[in-house]
Amino acid sequence: MAGNWDIRRYGSIGSTNDEARALALAGAADGTVVVAEGQTAGRGRAGRNWFSPEGKGLYCSLVARPGRAKEECPSLALVAGLAVCDACETFVEIPAQVKWPNDVWLAGKKVCGILTELVARPNRPIVVIVGIGINVNLRADDLPAELHPTATSLAIARGQPLDRELVLQAVLRTWALRYGKWRAGGFAALRADYYARAAIEGHRVAVSFGTERCEGIVRGVDERGALLLERAPGVVEAIIAGDVEAL
Ligand code: BTN
């Protein structure tokens, strides 16, 4: 999927993930992209909202028909994270990092969140909606107070605003490269690239999933992209999904 995009552009809509899902259910092909100027019901992980003011960020969702096993699809969040890192670094000089499983950080603050959602139906090929929200032109005073300690934007990091269309084009280009590699070889083909950008390696973290919570030291990811958490000396558990908080 290099340059062969079907880009659907919207003004302000509820959530680009919802629109992409509806298009996918109606048969939209791999490479369909939903882009909105703003979102009134932008969704984050674990039921959180995604702050999506009009004209400030990049809010897009890609329809992916991966042609790989369903069990491998959670790693697409990491693939998207790597692609966003590559794209960010064409605009800012700060190294971008992936914070497992779905954040991109610049200088320790979140610049992008990724929400992948599986569309699985009996006897039908898997579809994954890859939702990407990048804080592009938000200034510090655009961000809600509670996000100040943890969030940033490309414009804050660069010291000047950017053309959001160029950011979209960069993301599509880098996604095509990373996704192509993943389709051919699974996450194993990208694992070394992930390590080069991993934000929380060796850190003590808490991982929560629903009402469950555990703590440990991050010891990498496995070939599926699951987080390897050392919960006690020598006892390493692979965690497929969860929210990670550095302690
Ligand atoms: C997170 O960090 O919790 C994930 C945030 C994902 C936000 C993006 S914005 C585009 C797409 N549409 C949504 O409703 N969510 C994703």
Side-chain angles (χ1 to χ4, degrees):
M1 181 48 61
N4 198 14
W5 304 105
D6 176 2
I7 302 180
R8 316 281 180 101
R9 295 177 190 275
Y10 298 78
S12 197
I13 61 172
S15 157
T16 56
N17 266 32
D18 292 344
E19 185 60 24
R21 180 190 164 86
L23 292 172
L25 288 171
D30 187 284
T32 304
V33 184
V34 171
V35 190
E37 280 295 305
Q39 297 183 115
T40 53
R43 287 188 284 112
R45 281 167 44 91
R48 288 187 288 262
N49 296 326
W50 182 254
F51 181 59
S52 310
E54 206 167 327
K56 297 276 184 176
L58 175 64
Y59 318 110
C60 69
S61 300
L62 317 179
V63 175
R65 295 184 179 269
R68 294 193 69 94
K70 183 178 164 189
E71 296 67 36
E72 295 188 68
C73 291
S75 65
L76 279 174
L78 299 176
V79 177
L82 288 173
V84 170
C85 285
D86 299 338
C88 286
E89 287 182 1
T90 65
F91 300 102
V92 298
E93 284 174 13
I94 303 168
Q97 290 185 297
V98 182
K99 185 200 158 221
W100 191 94
N102 71 320
D103 292 355
V104 174
W105 279 2
L106 288 176
K109 288 189 166 187
K110 179 164 172 168
V111 70
C112 165
I114 291 156
L115 180 67
T116 55
E117 295 179 314
L118 206 65
V119 184
R121 288 166 296 166
N123 306 319
R124 306 288 283 272
I126 296 288
V127 182
V128 180
I129 306 302
V130 181
I132 299 174
I134 304 181
N135 295 336
V136 180
N137 282 334
L138 287 93
R139 298 186 315 256
D141 59 5
D142 290 319
L143 290 164
E146 69 271 18
L147 294 182
H148 280 183
T150 54
T152 190
S153 73
L154 286 174
I156 293 170
R158 186 179 153 108
Q160 59 185 55
L162 293 83
D163 182 336
R164 285 179 302 127
E165 181 59 26
L166 293 183
V167 179
L168 171 65
Q169 295 303 332
V171 168
L172 295 182
R173 205 168 46 243
T174 55
W175 164 260
L177 295 172
R178 296 291 191 179
Y179 180 53
K181 213 167 165 184
W182 180 90
R183 277 180 119 173
F187 182 72
L190 291 161
R191 201 169 166 198
D193 299 353
Y194 170 82
Y195 278 122
R197 293 195 175 280
I200 52 168
E201 281 309 304
H203 289 225
R204 185 159 187 86
V205 298
V207 183
S208 28
F209 187 74
T211 53
E212 286 178 41
R213 186 178 188 276
C214 58
E215 292 186 12
I217 297 170
V218 176
R219 297 294 184 210
V221 289
D222 69 13
E223 67 291 340
R224 298 165 303 166
L227 188 77
L228 297 173
L229 190 71
E230 187 173 354
R231 296 187 63 177
V235 182
V236 176
E237 193 178 317
I239 297 182
I240 291 177
D243 266 351
V244 174
E245 178 199 346
L247 297 174

